[in-house]
Amino acid sequence: MKYLVIVISHNDIQVIQAFKTLIEAEAAAIDLANIFFSTDGVAKFFDGSKIESISHISDYYASGIYHDFGDSVNVVIEEVPL
């Protein structure tokens, strides 16, 4: 199994990275989310903190704050069977 981390912004693919393990893919997804998501929106949603887990990515993406700040980024991990 291989894992792809994909960052999409404004309907365009910004990043595609491949990883051998889910742990590596999750770490990369968290790092990329902190780079590509609105810094102000994330800080407001997490009370000044940043994204620290995969569930944080999902929570922020589903929040009203994500939409209020006009964030158009989605970070996903896809499994690719080999």
Side-chain angles (χ1 to χ4, degrees):
M1 194 69 69
K2 207 168 205 168
Y3 300 90
L4 295 178
V5 176
I6 304 167
V7 178
I8 301 169
S9 177
H10 299 295
N11 294 322
D12 287 325
I13 295 173
Q14 302 297 313
V15 176
I16 297 177
Q17 294 179 342
F19 297 92
K20 291 181 181 179
T21 68
L22 182 57
I23 292 170
E24 292 173 323
E26 287 178 347
I30 292 165
D31 289 342
L32 290 167
N34 281 304
I35 292 169
F36 282 92
F37 279 137
S38 165
T39 304
D40 293 333
V42 169
K44 182 172 182 175
F45 187 74
F46 293 107
D47 294 323
S49 190
K50 44 185 217 175
I51 294 171
E52 297 177 352
S53 70
I54 293 299
S55 64
H56 280 177
I57 293 172
S58 298
D59 293 345
Y60 177 65
Y61 182 70
S63 74
I65 291 174
Y66 171 88
H67 300 287
D68 290 347
F69 277 82
D71 228 332
S72 65
V73 175
N74 196 0
V75 178
V76 296
I77 298 173
E78 293 292 330
E79 291 183 43
V80 178
L82 298 176

